[in-house]
Amino acid sequence: MSFPPRAAAEPLTVMGAGLVGSLLSLYLARRGHTVNVFERRPDPRRAGADVGRSINLALSDRGWRALEGVGVAEAVREVAIPMYRRVMHDVKGQLTHQPYGLPGQAIYSVSRGGLNRRLLELAEAEPGVTLQFQQQCLDVNLRQRELHLRDAETGAEQHVAFRRLFGTDGAFSAVRGALQKTDRFNYSQSYLEYAYKELTIAPAADGGWVLEKNALHIWPRGRYMMIALPNLDGSFTCTLFFPFEGEESFAALPTPADVEAFFGRVFPDALPLMPELTEDFFHNPTASLVTVKCFPWAFGDEALLLGDAAHAIVPFYGQGMNAGFEDCTVLNQLMDQHGDDWETIFEAFQEQRKPNADAIAEMAVYNFVEMRDRVADPRFLLQKQIESKITAQYPGQWLSLYSQVTFSHTPYHAAWTNGQRQDAIMARIMPHIQRPEDYDRPEVQDLLQQEMTANPAVAVPA
Amino acid sequence: MSFPPRAAAEPLTVMGAGLVGSLLSLYLARRGHTVNVFERRPDPRRAGADVGRSINLALSDRGWRALEGVGVAEAVREVAIPMYRRVMHDVKGQLTHQPYGLPGQAIYSVSRGGLNRRLLELAEAEPGVTLQFQQQCLDVNLRQRELHLRDAETGAEQHVAFRRLFGTDGAFSAVRGALQKTDRFNYSQSYLEYAYKELTIAPAADGGWVLEKNALHIWPRGRYMMIALPNLDGSFTCTLFFPFEGEESFAALPTPADVEAFFGRVFPDALPLMPELTEDFFHNPTASLVTVKCFPWAFGDEALLLGDAAHAIVPFYGQGMNAGFEDCTVLNQLMDQHGDDWETIFEAFQEQRKPNADAIAEMAVYNFVEMRDRVADPRFLLQKQIESKITAQYPGQWLSLYSQVTFSHTPYHAAWTNGQRQDAIMARIMPHIQRPEDYDRPEVQDLLQQEMTANPAVAVPA
């Protein structure tokens, strides 16, 4: 993709230099714009910034496409770990597997901090980009087009004029806070009754991985679960998704001894691999899980929300970052189409993205049940095997919802509609199937043929 | 009902002295509490306060019960106008009627300002109540239990400590704003694409009413509507519910001539009765219609939201004030049950009221379609006649949703569940009915009998 250099008519302002803000700044700069970026936190590339904890994310096709759009995908791929399958750990430590897609298809574990730093370096290397860190946004005056910022280090406050503001300042966005004060702004924030806490599986003594490296590990326990993603240093970052309150909950584990006993009982194969368990458990935050929806995302041709600021979702589909990165791809396409007609660009962006953001928000909540409960069910694993057979037999007419979301660029809302159709068909097919071989029985094949004819796919995934 | 006087252990603080805040203060004071009340607006009883516009509301059984609880119902009834039926005005000015309930049942048009002033007078007459007006709430510090207030007249700011805070400060509640900053606060604000504007039908030259006095008038026009409620002075307050934008919308009527032409075309019988139409139209606000939902409503035993602050709804069921008043009735019952155990009272209050608030919020949106569109449909009016016959034939087993909401104390969520059941039955009965007499046909009676047996009422309305 080429970026026609353009007269920098007016500087653009980006509030928030996290993953989406830094990638967006890069896209805007490559189009010839002057871009002023403000970020609340310290520069993550500076010594002393919080690089202690290793947080990783699953990058999939939508994210890769956005990185390719600014030529950074190859560099990121070198430090990404492909995960080809789910590995489920039961309470006895026995393992089962489920491939994510076709052979060779994978989601990629990447370091959040490392990716953010890489994008910031690239953005700063562009001539038009200025980054300012530790700038807390106290207020956004949309009508007067002015930011009120406070330097967290010096305490100095400044008022900064803007012409066009991109709000990429995350789930608790200050830019969205300003939009929320305008009339007829639809908004919701909705919390799960669950918290998450990051924990660590240590590397082996030789620096290798103590669990299968190229997999996402899940300890599904019905009402809760733990997952683990590999890091380059041989460790895994685990995340425990667990109720805030109740019989089995964070509130029910007040002491290190409680935590050890609980892990020994429900995650017995993981406990010996987690030497820092109780330290992590009582040091790391118990964080809440929120879904944020709002509309409109644009304020005239003056401000636009992207990423978590527009659509924060829960992490169970591994799509938060990918959806935010896809926002950058889509905005870039619209800039190609509409030139400097920002009002049209903003309007088209929100009309196109809003239904997709709503769909992935729903799917993310839905997938929590699948991950913590259904993946432990032999019937579910059998259904996944049958689904692979259907995909092979009806190419272009059937693709698992997971693959549509993860390995395609089908708009999320089309994927979700298709997924619901496929779910309904599976619910009618599966009662006739007890073993994988039953799939080839004539009555199953006849029924499937009828269903495929009666319920054609809504959109063929790209 | 008796109010056992009680040692005033600690003063209670009420933020907001609108309808719900003033009634709540009265309830609390009658129980022997010291009550400090703060209100953002000027005292509505003072000369110069905005008493020019005559806004009225429909008071129904839930509201009356709450007023009876503090002995004020009779005084209010003297200045309330019963409305026994809907009168629909078609585009030719022809009228049809639909009774709201049984003979003698009515909803009551009351002046919002008059009712608020009356409740404030009664509250102020209680020894323990202090009212402070023009106190804008800048901030609520829940953990330090402190209000930050600014006097709108003098500009003086003060910090006021509280022990227990009741947030009755309306749809844009400052107390709710403080709760919203706590973790895991679920919140949504959702706007209709419609606005409303208040207009006036003038009294007759002799001071009488130019339309039927004891009725609520509706001009249903499919995608929009106007309604009118009677005032004591012979006028009617009209409300136009109309899209913000589009072919027929506020945006499409920019000039007085446009407004006159539009009213002449779609409300021809009303236009000659509205001498101040264009003045009202361009002077009165074009106001938006929001539904606010949130949870929790309580913060420990320290703060509780009631009324619109907890559950603002659109006005199409005439239940906003009634629901807020019912909050006072329920809170008072819980204070009877649990004494000074405020944590239990607050917890029980939100658990009991939240599903009911959600139900009336849904019904209010649903009723907009009924009022603006379905009431103009002869089939709908026929269905209402049939429903009256069923109610008479199956006492205790069938009551129209409207009557359950308006003329009963059945919890809103039970009413809504019953209403949906009845809707489903009507949808199966009505295809067999072309005229009221068809109701007595044996096949209709048999079908109805089967349906009533197969789908028993969820809860018998009280």
Side-chain angles (χ1 to χ4, degrees):
Chain A
M1 182 168 298
S2 70
F3 293 92
R6 189 170 290 177
E10 52 192 6
L12 305 176
T13 303
V14 175
M15 176 60 64
L19 292 170
V20 175
S22 53
L23 180 61
L24 175 68
S25 300
L26 202 43
Y27 266 99
L28 297 172
R30 292 281 173 86
R31 301 185 75 91
H33 290 290
T34 302
V35 188
N36 297 319
V37 187
F38 299 97
E39 165 60 45
R40 186 175 53 80
R41 289 163 299 185
D43 188 340
R45 300 163 301 171
R46 267 176 40 179
D50 180 22
V51 293
R53 281 165 62 210
S54 177
I55 310 295
N56 45 29
L57 295 164
L59 190 57
S60 57
D61 285 29
R62 294 168 205 264
W64 286 117
R65 176 179 278 186
L67 294 176
E68 282 158 11
V70 285
V72 66
E74 281 320 301
V76 173
R77 208 174 286 273
E78 287 168 17
V79 290
I81 300 174
M83 300 180 287
Y84 297 102
R85 57 184 188 171
R86 287 174 175 161
V87 174
M88 274 71 75
H89 298 238
D90 77 9
V91 284
K92 292 175 181 158
Q94 289 178 328
L95 309 185
T96 49
H97 309 89
Q98 184 205 327
Y100 274 125
L102 300 173
Q105 282 186 320
I107 58 177
Y108 290 78
S109 176
V110 296
S111 153
R112 167 190 277 273
L115 181 54
N116 201 167
R117 289 191 293 274
R118 178 83 184 120
L119 292 171
L120 287 171
E121 278 161 16
L122 288 165
E124 200 160 48
E126 294 292 321
V129 173
T130 318
L131 302 175
Q132 290 189 58
F133 291 92
Q134 294 185 277
Q135 297 296 320
Q136 188 194 356
C137 183
L138 301 177
D139 190 35
V140 179
N141 190 323
L142 290 169
R143 304 206 180 267
Q144 292 182 26
R145 296 190 196 136
E146 196 176 71
L147 302 175
H148 185 186
L149 303 171
R150 177 166 56 199
D151 189 304
E153 210 163 24
T154 66
E157 299 188 10
Q158 58 172 328
H159 289 84
V160 177
F162 67 84
R163 174 61 189 89
R164 223 170 299 286
L165 176 65
F166 296 87
T168 51
D169 50 347
F172 301 96
S173 167
V175 178
R176 191 186 65 228
L179 279 165
Q180 202 174 332
K181 288 178 199 152
T182 63
D183 193 25
R184 283 198 284 156
F185 184 74
N186 293 295
Y187 176 73
S188 76
Q189 58 185 40
S190 165
Y191 286 86
L192 297 186
E193 297 294 306
Y194 286 80
Y196 71 92
K197 189 180 287 281
E198 277 145 351
L199 303 168
T200 312
I201 285 178
D206 66 357
W209 289 264
V210 294
L211 298 175
E212 178 179 334
K213 173 189 175 187
N214 292 113
L216 188 150
H217 296 265
I218 311 183
W219 289 258
R221 295 294 180 268
R223 296 201 14 92
Y224 58 92
M225 68 173 176
M226 184 167 71
I227 65 170
L229 278 74
N231 296 312
L232 288 173
D233 67 359
S235 69
F236 287 81
T237 301
C238 304
T239 311
L240 174 64
F241 296 97
F242 200 44
F244 276 100
E245 277 120 33
E247 203 173 322
E248 296 187 302
S249 73
F250 283 107
L253 301 178
T255 70
D258 293 326
V259 172
E260 297 260 4
F262 177 74
F263 272 66
R265 180 162 59 81
V266 303
F267 306 128
D269 63 330
L271 178 61
L273 313 177
M274 306 175 82
E276 296 167 22
L277 170 62
T278 56
E279 195 177 318
D280 282 350
F281 197 92
F282 291 101
H283 177 263
N284 291 345
T286 305
S288 53
L289 293 158
V290 71
T291 301
V292 173
K293 296 181 182 179
C294 65
F295 201 80
W297 295 350
F299 183 80
D301 67 346
E302 286 145 48
L304 182 69
L305 304 175
L306 300 94
D308 283 2
H311 48 74
I313 63 178
V314 295
F316 305 109
Y317 230 112
Q319 287 294 311
M321 169 182 62
N322 289 289
F325 280 6
E326 194 174 56
D327 284 351
C328 296
T329 304
V330 169
L331 188 73
N332 193 51
Q333 288 164 350
L334 291 169
M335 291 188 288
D336 280 342
Q337 285 170 40
H338 301 293
D340 284 332
D341 181 356
W342 289 99
E343 188 156 358
T344 299
I345 291 169
F346 285 8
E347 182 67 26
F349 179 80
Q350 67 180 2
E351 292 299 325
Q352 182 174 340
R353 290 302 283 167
K354 173 64 174 165
N356 293 320
D358 286 347
I360 190 61
E362 270 189 63
M363 288 189 278
V365 170
Y366 164 93
N367 215 43
F368 186 26
V369 180
E370 174 162 325
M371 288 182 79
R372 73 177 197 239
D373 196 0
R374 295 189 69 208
V375 294
D377 177 356
R379 286 290 296 175
F380 176 77
L381 298 177
L382 175 61
Q383 180 173 322
K384 286 284 177 187
Q385 287 177 278
I386 298 300
E387 190 166 23
S388 296
K389 291 173 185 278
I390 301 176
T391 306
Q393 188 177 345
Y394 292 92
Q397 290 182 66
W398 188 293
L399 189 61
S400 76
L401 176 59
Y402 189 87
S403 287
Q404 290 183 59
V405 168
T406 309
F407 303 124
S408 93
H409 302 282
T410 304
Y412 287 126
H413 76 94
W416 186 217
T417 305
N418 267 331
Q420 288 169 311
R421 156 194 169 259
Q422 292 173 178
D423 257 6
I425 296 176
M426 287 307 289
R428 292 187 289 265
I429 300 284
M430 285 304 291
H432 303 277
I433 293 179
Q434 303 309 321
R435 305 162 306 155
E437 305 81 80
D438 291 344
Y439 180 74
D440 298 315
R441 286 168 49 207
E443 61 270 35
V444 170
Q445 284 291 316
D446 286 353
L447 179 58
L448 181 58
Q449 181 59 55
Q450 285 168 32
E451 290 282 353
M452 295 301 282
T453 308
N455 304 286
V458 174
V460 178
Chain B
M1 181 168 297
S2 70
F3 294 92
R6 190 171 289 178
E10 52 191 7
L12 304 175
T13 303
V14 175
M15 175 61 64
L19 293 170
V20 175
S22 52
L23 180 61
L24 174 67
S25 301
L26 202 42
Y27 266 98
L28 296 173
R30 293 280 174 88
R31 300 185 75 91
H33 291 289
T34 302
V35 188
N36 297 319
V37 187
F38 299 97
E39 165 60 45
R40 186 176 53 81
R41 289 162 299 185
D43 188 339
R45 300 163 301 172
R46 268 178 35 180
D50 181 20
V51 293
R53 283 164 61 210
S54 177
I55 310 297
N56 45 29
L57 296 164
L59 191 56
S60 56
D61 285 27
R62 293 168 206 264
W64 285 117
R65 174 179 279 187
L67 294 175
E68 282 159 11
V70 285
V72 67
E74 281 320 301
V76 173
R77 207 174 287 271
E78 286 168 19
V79 291
I81 300 174
M83 300 180 287
Y84 297 100
R85 56 186 189 169
R86 286 174 175 161
V87 174
M88 273 70 76
H89 297 238
D90 77 10
V91 284
K92 292 177 182 158
Q94 291 179 326
L95 308 184
T96 48
H97 309 89
Q98 184 205 325
Y100 274 125
L102 301 173
Q105 283 186 321
I107 58 176
Y108 290 78
S109 176
V110 296
S111 153
R112 167 189 277 273
L115 181 54
N116 201 167
R117 289 190 292 273
R118 178 81 183 122
L119 291 171
L120 287 172
E121 278 160 18
L122 287 165
E124 201 161 47
E126 295 292 322
V129 174
T130 318
L131 302 174
Q132 290 189 58
F133 292 92
Q134 294 185 277
Q135 296 297 319
Q136 188 193 357
C137 183
L138 301 177
D139 190 35
V140 179
N141 189 324
L142 290 170
R143 302 203 181 270
Q144 292 181 25
R145 297 191 196 136
E146 195 177 72
L147 302 176
H148 185 187
L149 303 171
R150 178 166 55 199
D151 189 303
E153 209 161 23
T154 66
E157 298 187 10
Q158 58 172 328
H159 289 84
V160 177
F162 66 85
R163 174 59 190 88
R164 223 171 299 288
L165 176 65
F166 296 87
T168 51
D169 49 346
F172 301 96
S173 167
V175 178
R176 190 185 64 227
L179 278 166
Q180 202 175 330
K181 289 178 199 152
T182 62
D183 192 25
R184 285 197 285 156
F185 185 74
N186 293 294
Y187 176 73
S188 76
Q189 57 185 41
S190 165
Y191 286 86
L192 296 186
E193 296 294 306
Y194 286 79
Y196 71 93
K197 189 180 286 283
E198 276 145 352
L199 304 167
T200 312
I201 287 178
D206 67 355
W209 291 265
V210 294
L211 298 175
E212 179 180 335
K213 173 189 175 187
N214 292 112
L216 188 150
H217 296 264
I218 310 184
W219 290 258
R221 295 295 180 266
R223 294 200 14 91
Y224 57 93
M225 69 172 176
M226 183 166 73
I227 66 171
L229 279 73
N231 297 312
L232 288 173
D233 67 358
S235 68
F236 287 81
T237 301
C238 305
T239 311
L240 174 64
F241 296 96
F242 200 43
F244 276 99
E245 279 119 34
E247 203 173 319
E248 295 187 303
S249 73
F250 283 107
L253 302 178
T255 70
D258 293 326
V259 173
E260 297 260 4
F262 177 74
F263 273 67
R265 181 162 60 80
V266 303
F267 306 127
D269 63 332
L271 178 61
L273 313 177
M274 306 174 81
E276 297 168 21
L277 171 63
T278 56
E279 196 176 316
D280 282 350
F281 197 93
F282 292 101
H283 177 260
N284 291 346
T286 304
S288 52
L289 293 158
V290 70
T291 300
V292 173
K293 296 181 182 179
C294 66
F295 202 80
W297 294 352
F299 183 80
D301 67 347
E302 287 145 46
L304 182 69
L305 304 175
L306 301 94
D308 283 1
H311 49 75
I313 63 178
V314 294
F316 306 108
Y317 231 112
Q319 287 293 312
M321 169 181 62
N322 289 289
F325 280 5
E326 194 174 56
D327 284 350
C328 296
T329 304
V330 169
L331 188 72
N332 193 51
Q333 288 165 349
L334 291 169
M335 290 188 288
D336 280 342
Q337 284 171 39
H338 301 292
D340 284 331
D341 181 356
W342 289 99
E343 188 156 358
T344 299
I345 291 169
F346 285 9
E347 182 67 25
F349 179 81
Q350 67 180 1
E351 291 300 325
Q352 182 174 341
R353 290 302 284 166
K354 173 63 173 165
N356 293 320
D358 287 347
I360 190 61
E362 271 189 62
M363 288 190 277
V365 170
Y366 165 93
N367 215 44
F368 186 25
V369 180
E370 174 162 326
M371 288 183 78
R372 73 178 197 239
D373 196 0
R374 295 189 70 208
V375 294
D377 177 355
R379 286 291 295 175
F380 175 78
L381 297 177
L382 175 61
Q383 179 173 322
K384 286 283 177 188
Q385 288 178 279
I386 298 300
E387 190 167 23
S388 296
K389 291 173 185 278
I390 300 176
T391 306
Q393 188 176 346
Y394 292 93
Q397 291 183 66
W398 188 292
L399 189 61
S400 75
L401 177 59
Y402 189 87
S403 288
Q404 290 183 59
V405 168
T406 309
F407 303 124
S408 93
H409 302 283
T410 304
Y412 287 125
H413 77 94
W416 187 216
T417 305
N418 266 333
Q420 288 169 310
R421 155 195 170 258
Q422 291 173 180
D423 258 6
I425 295 176
M426 288 306 289
R428 293 187 289 265
I429 301 282
M430 286 304 292
H432 304 277
I433 293 179
Q434 303 309 321
R435 304 162 304 155
E437 306 82 79
D438 291 344
Y439 180 74
D440 298 314
R441 286 167 49 207
E443 60 270 36
V444 171
Q445 284 291 315
D446 288 352
L447 179 58
L448 181 58
Q449 181 60 53
Q450 285 168 30
E451 290 282 353
M452 296 299 283
T453 308
N455 305 286
V458 174
V460 178

